[in-house]
Amino acid sequence: MNARDILDKLVSFQTVSNVSNLDLIDWVEDYLAGHGVSATRVYNDEGNKASLYANVGPSVDGGVVLSGHTDVVPVEGQAWDTDPFTVVEKGGKLYGRGTCDMKGFDALALAAVPMALERGVKLPLQIALSYDEEVGCLGAPPMIAEMRKHLPAASAVVVGEPSMMKAVSGHKGGYGWWIHMHGFEVHSSLMHTGVNAIMYGAKLIEWANQVNDANMSATPSPMAAQFDPPFTTAHTGKIWGGTAHNITAKDCEFGIDFRLVPGDDIETYRAALFERVAEVEAMMQAVVPETRIEINQRFHVPPLQPEADGAAEQLVRRLTGDNASHVVSYGTEAGQFQEKDYSAIICGPGDIAQAHQPNEFLEVSQFKAGLEFMEKLVDHLAD
Ligand SMILES: [Zn+2]
């Protein structure tokens, strides 16, 4: 099977994040077993999804991890000209859900396995495929923890998110909290005796506005200056609450999410948010003691901090010839690898602009560039 055959196969599995990816994982496991490579699964709590990791070649330190996710975003409500789960080649482009984000890279990583074995690599290639990346990078951390325990230490991790095969060494982090204001219902003519969950929630959202105003007017650090916007942001993208215009709202739920510049400390923001939550809760409880604020963390995607002369960056620069420095605004699993002391970088085929779109495509030329990257990587591991 060549890389293109593998891509066709991977795209045919409808691994949208809200369903099981086990059919795909079964297939990958069989494929690897066919090359004499044993893989390990790391299941989610429900047991309906799994990550998979494998060491290809000798069990020694110094190898390279190729990391991808197996899930894709939904196609519902999108106008596709072709079947999203069949790769269609047209005008130098490979159309299909996930061709760009990021089954194209997954296929290249799997195609590199027999290449590495035939070439007789001296340093291992490690494959790491996750689930639930598209819903907040939830699947990778347990897999990374297991890899740290059970695999020889790799010197570099290449996360193949679409970067047009450029070396991307930094991105912002993403941290989200979901807040449920539990208020107290009374007729709004007596609102001073009730606790309006929406109006107290607004105090927390206003806090987020103040964070943004303060960060926007501060002078950005040299690190932050590389990003657009050059500061950490706080954002509410969804809110729900209330019963009727003349009832103080009993419930209100909303998210507060941060996009964190590398070098900023999420702990500072978390502590400030929780302090504000405690203040607002005290105001609510002064009116009705049984009211409260429930707050839960939803996702945790650490930033990717550009590493000074990092091993992963050096490797990718050598293999691609790209010596410019790039940062991106989307979050990836690279920050999660880095958090576990891996040297990590993003480099993969395709343009992020095509990701998640109807008629998502990967240019054939990018897929070929990705294959050349794998050939050079295998050479590097063999020398
Ligand atoms: Zn992706």
Side-chain angles (χ1 to χ4, degrees), residues 69 101-102 133-134 161:
H69 58 82
D101 184 16
M102 58 182 290
E133 192 273 350
E134 296 290 4
E161 290 285 348

Side-chain angles (χ1 to χ4, degrees), residues 286-303:
V287 183
V288 179
E290 63 264 37
T291 59
R292 64 196 170 91
I293 303 175
E294 194 184 333
I295 177 163
N296 290 299
Q297 188 158 16
R298 278 192 305 168
F299 56 88
H300 162 105
V301 183

